[in-house]
Amino acid sequence: MEAQAQGLLETEPLRGRDEDAVASADFSSMLSDEEREELKAELVQLEDEITTLRQVLSAKERHLVEIKQKLGMNLMNELKQNFSKSWHDMQTTTAYKKTHETLSHAGQKATAAFSNVGTAISKKFGDMSYSIRHSISMPAMR
């Protein structure tokens, strides 16, 4: 009995053939005329409620647009606000802070390295300039 009850309580979704079997099953023959009428009445009521809810939602959306227009809010302003908030939220994350710190440190090291390379190149050009001036000013020895 328990195994049979367990089979009725399965939570697995229907698959392929099961869906086809359920779709082709005629449950209406299992209902009494009274149950069928109750379900039809419930169906009509649900459809009416859904229609009403759609109308209410549409009216509220129009009202929302009107309020936003009165407040001077438009799509571009909202996008700017959302972007600013998202950017701020991202900057406050630990990952962003660590990445920013690491890249800043790497940038300082790269700047120092380029400065050293620039100094070395300048020194070489200075040495070459001295060497050229010295060789031009000295007569060639024979």
Side-chain angles (χ1 to χ4, degrees):
M1 174 83 179
E2 189 175 311
Q4 185 180 16
Q6 181 64 28
L8 294 175
L9 299 176
E10 287 183 13
T11 58
E12 291 286 320
L14 296 177
R15 291 191 175 76
R17 288 183 298 171
D18 296 333
E19 290 174 351
D20 294 339
V22 169
S24 65
D26 184 16
F27 292 109
S28 62
S29 63
M30 297 169 51
L31 299 173
S32 68
D33 288 341
E34 185 180 315
E35 290 172 323
R36 185 176 291 115
E37 290 303 316
E38 286 178 13
L39 287 175
K40 284 182 181 179
E42 186 178 352
L43 179 65
V44 169
Q45 182 183 358
L46 284 172
E47 288 174 342
D48 288 344
E49 288 176 4
I50 289 171
T51 301
T52 303
L53 289 170
R54 284 186 178 142
Q55 291 170 349
V56 169
L57 179 61
S58 179
K60 289 195 177 282
E61 286 175 336
R62 282 192 302 274
H63 187 65
L64 174 75
V65 169
E66 291 171 5
I67 291 173
K68 284 184 176 183
Q69 286 174 343
K70 288 178 183 177
L71 291 173
M73 298 171 71
N74 60 25
L75 181 60
M76 191 55 99
N77 288 341
E78 287 186 52
L79 288 174
K80 285 179 186 177
Q81 288 173 351
N82 288 342
F83 180 76
S84 294
K85 183 181 182 319
S86 297
W87 179 248
H88 179 266
D89 291 347
M90 187 199 55
Q91 286 179 318
T92 58
T93 63
T94 305
Y96 177 85
K97 289 177 182 176
K98 287 182 179 179
T99 303
H100 182 267
E101 183 180 310
T102 301
L103 291 176
S104 177
H105 186 67
Q108 290 171 355
K109 290 208 174 232
T111 300
F114 285 131
S115 177
N116 290 341
V117 168
T119 302
I121 290 172
S122 294
K123 186 176 179 197
K124 279 290 184 190
F125 279 136
D127 291 347
M128 286 175 34
S129 173
Y130 173 77
S131 180
I132 291 171
R133 272 187 289 156
H134 183 69
S135 63
I136 291 174
S137 65
M138 296 294 287
M141 297 186 134
R142 295 185 188 213

